[in-house]
């Protein structure tokens, strides 16, 4: 009898080639356990599988299993000397490892020992985890052996199969990546090898936020250099422009003054080629070069042209271990997004608009000066005619702030040259820099023929005649380069109809796949990876690699490196435009849609990436899919509101901590909503009846309404939210309905309307239960608890709050942490005990909330908890503790300029400031508290009225009443009476007595 155990995938037993099933799953589990572990004592088996049962039941269950195994496997099962054993069996892994099959079976990638999780036995589950790893390790070991054997046979194909299988088993196996790259490189497929590296490094950064090892990076760099150096052609050779080169070099080293070179001319006249040649002559050992350029597609966002410069400066500072400073990095993070999580600082300060560019300029100038000790910084700013206004302003301020003799190369088209020249000559102080402005004109006749003789035979030149090259190229270097390439490939080719004619002529010699790859790359509009191009084409990467290598070899495109990624781009945008314009319009539209879908894979709404968002908007817009653009805005807006305008965002900690959206004020939020509304109107003209449009419209109504409610604009907020609720119910948008109900409940929470709050809390609880949304059920219990708190039913409220806490604690057991939502009811319980006079107990609750936030790395909510802790300290009479909580809370809140916070924070700050004699600061704190308390919540308004009474009384005592009389229009006693009335409504007896004794 042959017994085979199948370990990969769904585990099952085969006896004499026939699959058998035992009556109990545990009995099968015992077979696999004994077969893989060897003989085991009966007691150990009993404890492992029935440890949660009584002795009698466990022994009975074990006897039943022993009976079954003896019956089904008499030749393989033994039970003697107090031990159990299954022997003489084989496994599918054994068969794989002993097989001589050339192909690697696909089922080796399946999860081992599936099906036993349903038993839900804690100790056995741990054994499963351990054993699965052992099985996977054995498969990887077998694959390594196959790879070594294939290497001995010099079978590159089989070796690549093994390495690809190893990477599928373990995507982070760096040694396998290195061997696979070596195989591809040895086979002449350098582009494919670099694509493997790019994919691996991207995965490492995305999932582990680390770089590949040094050996792998060095090998990739070596391959990249080999690839680019393979065929030097007319693209890589610089000729002509001798006078311009001499002018620049002579002045660059004349003295230590800052040098600004403004080079303007038509597209294709050779501006970039001239700059690159000069930089090469200056020598890399003498300079550090930085490149700034506007994004290739989409609208330019603020400071978009400086993104590459700032990112490179930060990365170089890190490499050289130069401290940037938390505050400075926070500010840069606010405006630039390409920093790793290692250096990302949350709480980026929102600078006043009038100081924004200056502060950034000072930081960038400081980094430049520290980095370039001993070397001269060189900045290349290309296509300044496309720079956004913020980027131009930053340039002007940066040059004025820089204290080292840098070199700047600036390029522009002629039509914008005058504006750029004015900007340069308006720099202050003007004496510290020297400006050289030059217009590049087409080549002279002599320069045209000099270039032609470098790359074309005399026979060909004589056959066509010099006038032919001068006439058809019009002296434009870009046209000359393309003519030379075409004639070197086909001496009989006709070079007429300008650049487009040349490019179309060169495309005639390409295969269908090569033309398709070129067309797809042209639609991207800028650099693109081979992987993204393959996905947009709907083909495998292997199928596009060879066409791309041909295009690279023929100098139709080039390869560039950007932040460790290898990307493909055209040598000149005019060439790209020729290929793009030649495509049928319907195909362009389809390709734009495909590219947008490919790029969408890189998009996460909680991660700020303005360049990617602009690309997506551009491609969706060019495909006519405005609804997709609208959906992007709404996805981002959801996180924007949660981060900036929600007291306790219902977002998991891991997502919250990955959020890199910059913090914004209400003005920025209103601007974003205006953009969304305009898009809605635009989409509504053609798609108003579609279900997707209705869903997006309902989502907008809910978000905007909820945002307004959060800030106390109840009338407008409810009109929007109620309309969203009607639409969601009509169309069956359950999640939007849930959010609308929560927004309405928050209206009643903030206005202390208990009956309505209870009603909507229960509706939310029912709908969340129907949808299986445990986190929203937890929120519903909190809302119901708040309705009981408002009613004065503190015992019932505390019980309900505990239900909310338990729900979130249960979610934590499954790895889903909602720390802020779990702490909110803790804070409310603290408030109730504080109102009942138990300030010490309340303080412990608030401190627990603060400690949990700190340990989770969350600053959201901390300023709110600090405010309540300060309020409890007031009841305790501990002014030092109160002041400490106020200072920390204000620092946290004002460093982020985002989120929501209790107005109590600033009410008590006003009291502290007034007690210290700073009535100007007290007045500013009262103004901020009034803004935050405008939502009308009684406990917040009561604290604000108490603070006004206090400040007013202190001002009168100090003789400073005139300083604040314009703001505080009532007497201290009148404010105190109003505060007492509100505190009576919430049952805060101790606070009432305190105010009466103090002011009445």
């Amino acid at each position: 009898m042959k017994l085979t155990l199948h370990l990969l995938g769904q585990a099952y037993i085969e006896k004499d080639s026939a699959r058998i099933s035992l009556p109990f799953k545990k009995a099968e589990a015992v077979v696999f356990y004994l077969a893989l572990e060897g003989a085991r004592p009966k007691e150990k088996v009993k404890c492992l599988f029935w440890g949660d049962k009584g002795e009698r039941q466990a022994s009975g269950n074990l006897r039943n299993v022993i009976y079954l195994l003896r019956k089904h496997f008499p030749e393989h099962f033994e039970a003697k000397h107090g031990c159990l054993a299954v022997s003489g069996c084989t496994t599918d892994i054994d068969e794989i490892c002993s097989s001589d099959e050339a192909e690697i079976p696909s089922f080796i990638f399946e999860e081992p020992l599936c099906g036993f999780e349903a038993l839900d036995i804690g100790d056995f589950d741990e054994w499963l985890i351990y054993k699965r790893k052992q099985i996977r390790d054995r498969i990887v070991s077998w694959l390594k052996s196959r790879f070594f054997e294939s290497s001995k046979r010099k079978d590159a194909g089989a070796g690549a199969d093994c390495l690809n299988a190893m990477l599928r088993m373990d995507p982070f196996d760096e040694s396998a990546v290195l061997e696979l790259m070596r195989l591809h490189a040895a086979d002449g497929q350098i582009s494919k090898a670099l694509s493997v590296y790019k994919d691996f490094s991207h995965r490492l950064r995305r999932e582990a936020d680390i770089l590949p090892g040094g050996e792998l990076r060095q090998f990739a760099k070596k391959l990249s250099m080999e690839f680019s150096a393979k065929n030097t052609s007319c693209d890589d050779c610089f000729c002509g422009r001798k006078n311009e080169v001499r002018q620049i070099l002579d002045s660059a080293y004349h003295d230590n003054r800052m040098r600004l070179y403004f080079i303007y001319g038509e597209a294709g006249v050779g501006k970039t080629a001239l700059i690159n040649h000069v930089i090469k002559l200056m020598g890399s050992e003498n300079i550090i070069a930085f490149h700034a350029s506007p994004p290739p597609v989409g609208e330019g966002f603020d400071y978009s042209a400086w993104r590459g410069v700032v990112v490179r400066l930060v990365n170089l500072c890190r490499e050289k271990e130069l401290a940037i400073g938390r505050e400075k990095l926070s500010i840069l993070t606010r405006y630039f997004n390409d920093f790793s999580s290692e250096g990302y600082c949350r709480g980026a300060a929102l600078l006043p608009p009038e100081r924004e560019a200056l502060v950034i300029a000072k930081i960038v100038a400081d980094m430049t000066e520290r980095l370039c000790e001993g070397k001269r910084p060189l900045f290349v700013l290309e296509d300044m005619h496309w720079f956004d206004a913020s980027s131009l302003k930053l340039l002007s301020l940066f040059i004025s702030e820089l204290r080292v003799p840098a070199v700047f190369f600036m390029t522009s088209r002629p039509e914008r040259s005058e504006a750029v020249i004015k900007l340069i000559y308006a720099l202050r102080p003007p004496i510290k820099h020297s400006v050289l402005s030059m217009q590049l004109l087409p080549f002279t006749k002599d320069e045209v023929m000099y270039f032609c003789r470098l790359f074309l035979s005399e026979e060909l030149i004589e056959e066509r005649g010099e006038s032919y090259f001068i006439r058809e190229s019009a002296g434009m270097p870009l046209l000359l380069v393309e003519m030379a390439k075409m004639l070197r490939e086909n001496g009989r080719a006709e070079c007429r109809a300008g650049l487009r004619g040349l490019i179309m002529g060169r495309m005639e010699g390409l295969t269908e796949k090569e033309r398709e790859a070129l067309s797809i790359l042209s639609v991207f509009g800028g650099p693109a990876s081979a992987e993204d191009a393959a996905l947009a084409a709907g083909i495998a990467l292997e199928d596009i690699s060879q066409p791309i290598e041909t295009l690279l070899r023929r100098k139709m495109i080039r390869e560039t490196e950007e932040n460790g990624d290898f990307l493909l781009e055209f040598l000149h945008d005019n060439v790209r435009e020729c290929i793009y314009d030649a495509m049928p319009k319907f195909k362009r539209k389809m390709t734009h849609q495909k590219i947008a879908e490919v790029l969408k894979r890189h998009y996460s709404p909680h991660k700020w990436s303005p360049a990617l968002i602009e690309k997506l908007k551009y491609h969706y817009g060019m495909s006519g899919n405005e609804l997709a653009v609208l959906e992007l805005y709404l996805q981002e807006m959801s996180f924007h509101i949660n981060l900036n305008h929600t007291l306790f965002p219902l977002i998991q900690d891991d997502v919250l901590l990955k959020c890199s959206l910059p913090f914004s004020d209400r003005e920025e939020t209103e601007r974003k909503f205006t953009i969304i509304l305009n898009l809605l109107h635009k989409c509504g003209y053609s798609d108003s009846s579609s279900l997707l449009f209705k869903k997006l419209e309902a989502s907008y109504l809910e978000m905007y309404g909820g945002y307004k409610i959060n800030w106390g604009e109840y009338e407008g907020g409810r009109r929007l939210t109620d309309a969203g609720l009607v639409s969601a119910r009509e169309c069956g948008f359950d999640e939007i309905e849930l959010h609308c109900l929560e927004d309405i409940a928050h209206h009643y929470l903030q206005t202390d309307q208990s009956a309505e709050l209870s009603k909507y809390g229960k509706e939310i609880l029912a709908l969340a239960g129907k949808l299986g949304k445990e986190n929203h059920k937890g929120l519903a219990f909190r809302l119901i608890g708040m309705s009981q708190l408002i009613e004065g039913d503190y015992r019932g409220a505390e019980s309900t709050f505990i239900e909310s806490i338990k729900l979130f604690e249960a979610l934590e057991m499954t790895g889903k942490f909602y720390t802020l939502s779990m702490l909110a009811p803790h804070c409310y319980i603290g408030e109730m005990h504080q109102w009942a006079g138990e300030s010490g107990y309340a303080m412990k609750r608030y401190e627990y909330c603060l400690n949990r936030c700190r340990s989770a790395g969350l600053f959201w909510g901390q300023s709110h908890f600090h405010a309540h802790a300060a309020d409890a300290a007031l009841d305790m009479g501990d002014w030092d503790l109160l002041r400490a909580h106020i200072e920390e809370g204000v620092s946290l809140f004002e460093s982020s300029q985002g989120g929501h916070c209790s107005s109590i924070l600033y009410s008590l700050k006003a009291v502290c400031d007034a007690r210290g004699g700073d009535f100007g600061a007290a007045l500013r704190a009262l103004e901020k508290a009034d803004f935050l308390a405008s939502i009308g919540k009684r406990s917040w308004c009561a604290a604000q009225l108490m603070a006004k009474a206090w400040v007013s009384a202190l001002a009168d005592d100090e003789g400073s009443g005139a300083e604040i009389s314009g703001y505080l229009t009532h007497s201290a006693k009148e404010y105190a009476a109003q505060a007492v009335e509100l505190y009576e409504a919430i049952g805060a007896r101790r606070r009432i007595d305190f105010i009466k004794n103090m002011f009445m």
Side-chain angles (χ1 to χ4, degrees):
M1 179 180 74
K2 182 183 178 184
L3 187 65
T4 304
L5 304 184
H6 289 265
L7 308 180
L8 297 172
Q10 197 71 24
Y12 65 93
I13 304 169
E14 218 176 60
K15 186 166 73 172
D16 292 334
S17 300
R19 182 170 177 168
I20 65 167
S21 296
L22 298 180
F24 308 113
K25 194 69 178 175
K26 271 192 183 177
E28 290 187 12
V30 170
V31 173
F32 280 85
Y33 175 72
L34 294 174
L36 295 174
E37 289 295 318
R40 284 290 178 268
K42 282 183 183 180
E43 286 301 315
K44 186 173 181 65
V45 176
K46 183 169 67 175
C47 288
L48 179 64
F49 288 94
W50 296 282
D52 59 338
K53 307 294 182 187
E55 175 64 27
R56 185 174 178 182
Q57 186 179 351
S59 297
N61 289 343
L62 180 59
R63 281 195 299 274
N64 289 338
V65 167
I66 291 171
Y67 168 76
L68 282 171
L69 300 191
R70 278 177 170 153
K71 177 182 175 183
H72 286 277
F73 315 114
E75 297 178 18
H76 299 277
F77 175 71
E78 280 187 346
K80 59 183 180 180
H81 306 307
C83 288
L84 305 179
V86 171
S87 58
C89 58
T90 61
T91 68
D92 50 356
I93 305 289
D94 298 327
E95 293 175 355
I96 290 168
C97 293
S98 61
S99 171
D100 293 328
E101 290 289 329
E103 285 192 19
I104 297 171
S106 60
F107 60 83
I108 69 167
F109 305 113
E110 295 183 24
E111 179 75 359
L113 298 172
C114 287
F116 290 126
E117 302 88 351
L119 295 176
D120 195 21
I121 305 170
D123 291 342
F124 183 66
D125 287 343
E126 288 184 16
W127 178 84
L128 280 175
I129 293 168
Y130 165 73
K131 193 54 63 176
R132 282 169 178 159
K133 184 180 183 305
Q134 268 196 344
I135 292 169
R136 283 191 290 266
D137 289 345
R138 187 178 173 194
I139 292 170
V140 170
S141 178
W142 170 71
L143 287 169
K144 286 180 179 177
S145 298
R146 279 181 65 105
F147 170 68
F148 291 134
E149 289 298 320
S150 64
S151 299
K152 290 177 184 176
R153 299 193 308 272
K154 296 186 178 179
D155 187 345
D161 289 342
C162 292
L163 291 168
N164 281 315
M166 287 161 64
L167 286 171
R168 190 169 168 185
M169 295 291 294
D170 180 6
F172 299 102
D173 186 346
E174 195 162 302
S175 60
V177 172
L178 184 58
E179 291 299 335
L180 186 58
M181 288 176 67
R182 283 172 174 158
L183 270 183
H184 288 322
D187 198 31
Q189 300 183 67
I190 296 178
S191 179
K192 195 170 183 179
L194 292 173
S195 293
V196 170
Y197 173 77
K198 183 258 177 185
D199 187 51
F200 178 71
S201 61
H202 181 70
R203 184 184 295 112
L204 272 184
R205 282 201 311 279
R206 185 181 66 243
E207 298 182 21
D209 197 23
I210 58 175
L211 293 172
E215 184 182 3
L216 188 57
R217 290 205 309 272
Q218 285 298 319
F219 186 65
K221 185 176 181 181
K222 175 175 171 286
L223 287 184
S224 181
M225 291 171 66
E226 283 180 11
F227 191 76
S228 60
K230 251 187 169 183
N231 294 307
T232 301
S233 69
C234 43
D235 288 300
D236 308 311
C237 180
F238 182 84
C239 70
R241 310 294 187 199
K242 291 181 180 178
N243 291 334
E244 289 87 348
V245 172
R246 189 180 302 112
Q247 271 186 288
I248 293 170
L249 290 178
D250 286 349
S251 62
Y253 295 107
H254 181 68
D255 54 36
N256 281 331
R257 299 173 73 191
M258 187 178 292
R259 299 289 171 178
L260 279 66
Y261 300 99
F262 177 52
I263 303 166
Y264 61 99
E266 296 293 344
V269 79
K271 300 183 291 292
T272 302
L274 170 62
I275 293 170
N276 289 341
H277 181 63
V278 169
I279 291 173
K280 188 176 180 182
L281 293 176
M282 292 175 80
S284 59
E285 68 278 4
N286 302 314
I287 59 170
I288 297 182
F290 301 91
H291 292 260
S293 60
V297 297
E299 297 178 10
F301 46 91
D302 286 350
Y303 310 111
S304 56
W306 283 83
R307 172 174 160 262
V309 172
V310 174
V311 171
R312 183 151 187 260
L313 281 167
V314 170
N315 289 337
L316 284 173
C317 282
R318 287 176 178 165
E319 285 177 19
K320 296 189 176 183
E321 298 182 349
L322 296 175
I324 302 170
R326 179 182 176 82
E327 185 179 350
K328 290 179 180 178
L329 194 57
S330 294
I331 291 169
L332 294 180
T333 304
R334 170 67 179 80
Y335 302 98
F336 305 95
N337 68 306
D338 294 64
F339 303 128
S340 70
S341 59
E342 175 191 354
Y344 179 70
C345 292
R346 301 183 181 279
L350 185 64
L351 299 170
E354 65 277 7
R355 293 190 63 244
E356 187 178 274
L358 178 60
V359 172
I360 297 170
K362 286 178 179 291
I363 296 170
V364 176
D366 176 65
M367 286 194 294
T368 303
E369 290 162 13
R370 294 168 63 208
L371 271 172
C372 296
E373 289 184 8
K375 287 192 176 185
R376 197 166 190 181
L378 185 149
F379 292 85
V380 180
L381 303 106
E382 294 194 84
D383 296 329
M384 287 183 64
H385 49 281
W386 295 122
F387 272 37
D388 62 276
S390 298
S391 292
L392 288 172
K393 184 178 181 181
L394 179 57
L395 170 63
S396 176
L397 291 168
F398 172 66
I399 293 174
S400 298
E401 289 296 321
L402 199 58
R403 299 290 179 266
V404 292
V407 176
F408 288 83
F409 287 102
M410 309 174 188
T411 72
S412 173
R413 301 272 176 89
E415 61 269 20
R416 286 294 306 276
S417 60
E418 189 175 338
V420 179
I421 290 171
K422 283 182 179 178
L423 180 146
I424 293 171
Y425 281 99
L427 293 171
R428 292 291 181 269
I431 56 168
K432 74 167 189 173
H433 54 259
S434 172
V435 180
L436 176 62
S437 173
M438 60 176 67
Q439 180 178 10
L440 285 195
L441 297 171
F443 276 173
T444 63
K445 294 178 181 179
D446 290 341
E447 286 174 323
V448 169
M449 295 318 301
Y450 176 75
F451 181 91
C452 290
R453 287 190 168 90
L454 280 176
F455 300 104
L456 301 175
S457 66
E458 281 296 332
E459 293 79 3
L460 182 59
I461 293 172
E462 287 178 17
E463 181 185 330
R464 300 289 175 114
E466 291 187 1
S467 61
Y468 174 86
F469 296 99
I470 295 166
R471 181 182 66 251
E472 296 303 331
S473 71
M476 293 300 285
L478 178 62
L479 273 171
L480 271 173
V481 168
E482 293 302 324
M483 285 177 70
K485 287 181 192 173
M486 190 168 182
L487 291 170
R488 289 174 78 179
E489 292 172 4
N490 178 7
R492 293 187 294 276
E494 190 53 64
C495 302
R496 298 188 185 277
L499 181 62
R500 180 172 178 178
L502 285 168
I503 299 301
M504 293 302 103
R506 291 194 69 202
M507 287 185 71
E508 287 176 5
L510 302 177
T511 65
E512 185 178 345
K513 282 186 177 181
E514 289 160 0
R515 285 197 297 271
E516 180 69 11
L518 205 58
S519 297
I520 284 169
L521 287 171
S522 76
V523 181
F524 272 95
S529 68
E531 290 81 3
D532 285 350
L535 287 169
I539 60 177
L541 179 61
E542 300 78 48
D543 294 332
I544 205 172
S545 293
Q546 195 58 51
I548 284 175
E549 287 199 37
T550 301
L551 294 173
L552 287 166
R553 188 169 58 253
R554 296 186 65 174
K555 298 295 180 179
M556 300 290 283
I557 57 175
R558 66 183 169 197
E559 209 166 21
T560 61
E561 186 179 354
E562 184 178 311
N563 296 331
D565 293 335
F566 294 98
L567 305 176
L568 305 165
E569 67 175 1
F570 286 86
L571 277 74
H572 199 284
D573 198 53
N574 284 18
V575 175
R576 183 197 67 79
E577 286 177 2
C578 289
I579 296 166
Y580 179 82
D581 291 340
M583 290 177 70
K585 290 182 180 178
F586 81 91
K587 188 175 181 181
R588 274 191 243 159
K589 188 174 179 179
M590 283 173 30
T591 309
H592 277 295
Q593 177 67 30
K594 288 178 182 175
I595 289 172
E597 290 165 1
V598 169
L599 294 177
K600 186 74 182 288
R601 297 179 310 113
H602 306 299
Y603 172 73
S604 295
H606 61 280
K607 291 187 178 180
W608 186 53
S609 180
L612 176 58
I613 291 167
E614 287 301 323
K615 288 178 187 176
L616 285 167
K617 283 159 51 180
Y618 168 75
H619 288 294
Y620 277 130
M622 294 299 288
S623 70
N625 192 351
E626 294 291 347
L627 281 177
V629 179
L630 178 58
E631 192 171 16
L632 277 175
Y633 271 111
L634 287 168
Q635 286 174 345
E636 187 181 336
M637 181 57 84
S638 173
F639 280 93
H640 175 89
I641 290 172
N642 271 296
L643 292 178
N644 291 287
H645 307 293
T646 304
L647 189 57
F648 300 115
L650 191 60
I651 301 176
Q652 277 185 229
D653 290 6
D654 57 344
V655 176
L656 201 55
L657 290 169
K658 289 175 185 173
C659 284
S660 58
L661 298 176
F663 293 100
S664 304
D665 53 14
R666 291 196 65 190
E667 184 181 346
E668 174 70 8
T669 303
E670 291 288 351
R671 188 186 68 80
K672 288 175 180 284
F673 272 124
T674 300
I675 293 172
I676 292 172
L677 182 61
N678 291 337
L679 266 173
L680 269 171
H681 289 157
K682 186 177 179 182
C683 295
Y685 293 131
S686 56
D687 294 299
S688 60
S689 60
S690 76
L691 196 62
L692 177 58
F693 175 80
K694 289 180 178 178
K695 184 175 183 179
L696 297 176
E697 183 182 44
S699 183
Y700 161 78
L701 292 169
E702 179 278 315
M703 283 188 206
Y704 198 18
Y707 155 76
K708 283 183 171 292
I709 286 169
N710 280 341
W711 286 104
E713 297 179 24
Y714 298 121
E715 185 179 347
R718 282 300 300 273
R719 273 201 303 269
L720 292 161
T721 309
D722 291 350
L725 182 60
V726 170
S727 177
R729 283 175 169 167
E730 284 178 355
C731 300
F733 305 140
D734 291 336
E735 288 204 24
I736 297 175
E737 179 186 353
L738 185 63
H739 292 306
C740 288
L741 292 172
E742 289 167 354
D743 294 334
I744 294 168
H746 276 98
H747 168 206
Y748 295 125
L749 167 63
Q750 292 172 188
T751 53
D752 298 291
Q753 299 181 57
S754 58
E756 292 83 355
L757 177 57
S758 177
K759 173 192 169 188
Y760 279 95
K762 288 170 183 175
E763 281 192 48
I764 294 164
L765 185 61
L767 183 55
K770 171 188 165 186
L771 299 177
K773 303 276 188 182
E774 292 296 301
N775 53 338
H776 289 270
K777 283 173 67 177
L779 172 59
F781 275 119
R782 187 171 89 220
L783 295 170
I784 295 167
M786 282 304 298
S787 72
Q788 294 168 308
L789 184 153
I790 294 166
E791 286 287 337
D793 179 10
Y794 292 171
R795 182 175 294 177
E798 185 160 354
S799 176
T800 308
F801 286 142
I802 289 170
E803 284 299 313
S804 175
I805 291 167
K806 285 180 178 177
L807 262 173
F808 286 111
E809 287 177 341
L811 285 170
E812 287 186 356
M813 298 294 287
T814 65
K816 297 174 182 176
F817 289 83
Y818 293 88
T819 299
L820 292 177
S821 297
M822 188 269 290
L823 293 178
H826 275 288
C827 186
Y828 289 131
I829 291 171
E831 278 191 76
M832 289 191 300
H833 283 274
Q834 184 185 342
W835 295 343
E838 301 172 38
S839 303
Y841 178 88
M843 181 63 80
K844 288 179 181 176
R845 285 276 180 171
Y846 302 144
E847 287 176 345
Y848 170 77
C849 293
L850 285 166
N851 290 332
R852 279 297 301 266
C853 274
R854 290 180 189 123
S855 64
L858 300 169
F859 69 85
W860 293 272
Q862 279 199 51
S863 53
H864 180 77
F865 299 139
H866 275 297
H868 282 288
D871 200 37
L874 176 63
D875 286 345
M876 296 162 66
D878 190 337
W879 282 98
D880 289 338
L881 183 60
L882 184 150
R883 195 173 295 104
H885 280 295
I886 290 297
E887 288 174 358
E888 183 67 18
V890 168
S891 174
L892 280 165
F893 186 66
E894 294 190 351
S895 70
S896 71
Q897 293 289 332
H900 227 342
C901 176
S902 167
S903 60
I904 295 172
L905 181 71
Y906 283 98
S907 297
L908 295 180
K909 183 182 186 301
V911 174
C912 286
D913 291 335
R915 278 170 55 87
D918 190 347
F919 288 96
L923 181 58
R924 290 191 294 274
L926 286 175
E927 289 172 341
K928 290 176 181 178
D930 272 333
F931 174 71
L932 292 169
S934 62
I935 64 172
K937 188 167 176 58
R938 281 194 298 230
S939 58
W940 295 13
C941 293
Q944 175 69 345
L945 289 165
M946 177 191 71
K948 287 181 176 180
W950 211 319
V951 173
S952 179
L954 288 170
D956 290 340
D957 291 344
E958 296 289 331
S960 303
E963 190 174 350
I964 61 170
S965 59
Y967 192 76
L968 298 180
T969 56
H970 298 286
S971 68
K973 193 171 182 179
E974 288 172 318
Y975 281 126
Q978 293 174 46
V980 165
E981 185 179 344
L982 288 179
Y983 276 125
E984 282 177 344
I986 60 177
R989 293 304 317 166
R990 183 169 178 176
R991 183 60 59 84
I992 293 166
D993 294 340
F994 173 80
I995 293 172
K996 285 181 176 179
N997 291 334
M998 190 84 178
F999 306 108
M1000 299 172 67

